[in-house]
Amino acid sequence: MSTVMWILPVISAGIGWVTNYVAIKMLFHPRKPINLGLFTLHGVFPRRKETLARRLGVIVEKDLFTPEMIVDKLNTEDNKAKLKTAVMKRINEFVDEKAVQFGPMLQMFGGDAIIDQIRTGMEKSVDDMIPKLMEDIGSNITSISIEQVVYEKVMDFSDEKFEDLLMAVIKSELTFIEIMGAVLGFFIGLVQVAILMMQ
């Protein structure tokens, strides 16, 4: 009898682990609803995918990645300088191409000097244009609904991809829950043994 009693904590630990393991699996499975007559068996996350996608979109847009944050990150002096460099590179390529094409005519009007004047004038125009361009870009970005983008992206995920996404975030926590099920089951088994021994 005493030997059998001491197996109780091991059995309880096994029951605790299996119960938590099955409960965690049922968060994701079955992926498709199974009608069992009195009730329908369907994984919690697949069943609530739309709600989770909507809530995730709200959280991301409200607290993590707002359009205003993107505009602030873009609208820096460093980015303005990079944009000016990129624009001026294209302008200079265009001017060089046209200088070759209209070389003889340009020589009549001052040659390299007129080309330098064109470059200087274009650079000044670009300096004036960059702030307005950044403002236009910012206006376009703030009109984007990040909530909707996140919602549509999550809804496009297959159930397998959605499970992988969630597991990448909470896998260690779920493993901890499984282990704690075994630990708590073991201690409950010890309590049962203590109660039996007192009888």
Side-chain angles (χ1 to χ4, degrees), residues 4 8 25 42 55 71 101 115 131 142 159 191-192 194 197:
V4 173
L8 278 176
K25 285 298 178 185
H42 195 190
R55 286 183 181 174
V71 172
Q101 187 176 347
I115 292 173
T142 53
D159 289 339
V191 170
Q192 289 174 328
M197 290 179 69

Side-chain angles (χ1 to χ4, degrees), residues 107-133:
Q107 291 302 323
M108 291 171 46
F109 293 98
D112 291 341
I114 193 72
I115 292 173
D116 289 340
Q117 286 179 6
I118 292 171
R119 290 186 201 278
T120 302
M122 292 299 292
E123 186 168 1
K124 185 178 184 311
S125 296
V126 169
D127 284 335
D128 295 337
M129 177 184 70
I130 294 295
K132 296 175 184 176
L133 186 58

Side-chain angles (χ1 to χ4, degrees), residues 53-70 144-148 150:
R54 185 65 70 190
R55 286 183 181 174
L56 182 60
V58 170
I59 290 169
V60 170
E61 183 171 51
K62 184 180 177 184
D63 299 317
L64 299 178
F65 198 62
T66 67
E68 290 74 22
M69 288 179 188
I70 301 172
I144 297 171
S145 171
I146 292 176
E147 176 188 339
Q148 188 63 25
V150 172

Side-chain angles (χ1 to χ4, degrees), residues 39 59 134 136 194:
F39 63 94
I59 290 169
M134 294 298 279
D136 290 341

Side-chain angles (χ1 to χ4, degrees), residues 2 8 11 17 41 44 58 73 77 80 93 103 113 115 126 129 143 148 156 160 165 167 172 174 177 192 194 198:
S2 59
L8 278 176
I11 294 172
W17 179 81
L41 194 61
V44 175
V58 170
K73 291 293 183 183
E77 293 305 316
K80 288 178 183 177
E93 288 174 355
I115 292 173
V126 169
M129 177 184 70
S143 68
Q148 188 63 25
D156 283 342
E160 293 83 357
L165 176 71
M167 287 299 288
S172 59
L174 296 180
I177 291 171
Q192 289 174 328
M198 287 188 296

Side-chain angles (χ1 to χ4, degrees), residues 123-190:
E123 186 168 1
K124 185 178 184 311
S125 296
V126 169
D127 284 335
D128 295 337
M129 177 184 70
I130 294 295
K132 296 175 184 176
L133 186 58
M134 294 298 279
E135 187 178 329
D136 290 341
I137 292 171
S139 296
N140 289 330
I141 289 173
T142 53
S143 68
I144 297 171
S145 171
I146 292 176
E147 176 188 339
Q148 188 63 25
V149 170
V150 172
Y151 170 78
E152 290 174 359
K153 184 67 177 175
V154 172
M155 289 304 294
D156 283 342
F157 288 156
S158 66
D159 289 339
E160 293 83 357
K161 178 72 175 175
F162 189 52
E163 180 178 347
D164 290 342
L165 176 71
L166 292 172
M167 287 299 288
V169 178
I170 60 173
K171 184 176 182 180
S172 59
E173 287 78 7
L174 296 180
T175 302
F176 175 76
I177 291 171
E178 288 179 25
I179 294 169
M180 284 306 298
V183 171
L184 290 174
F186 184 79
F187 280 112
I188 290 170
L190 288 179

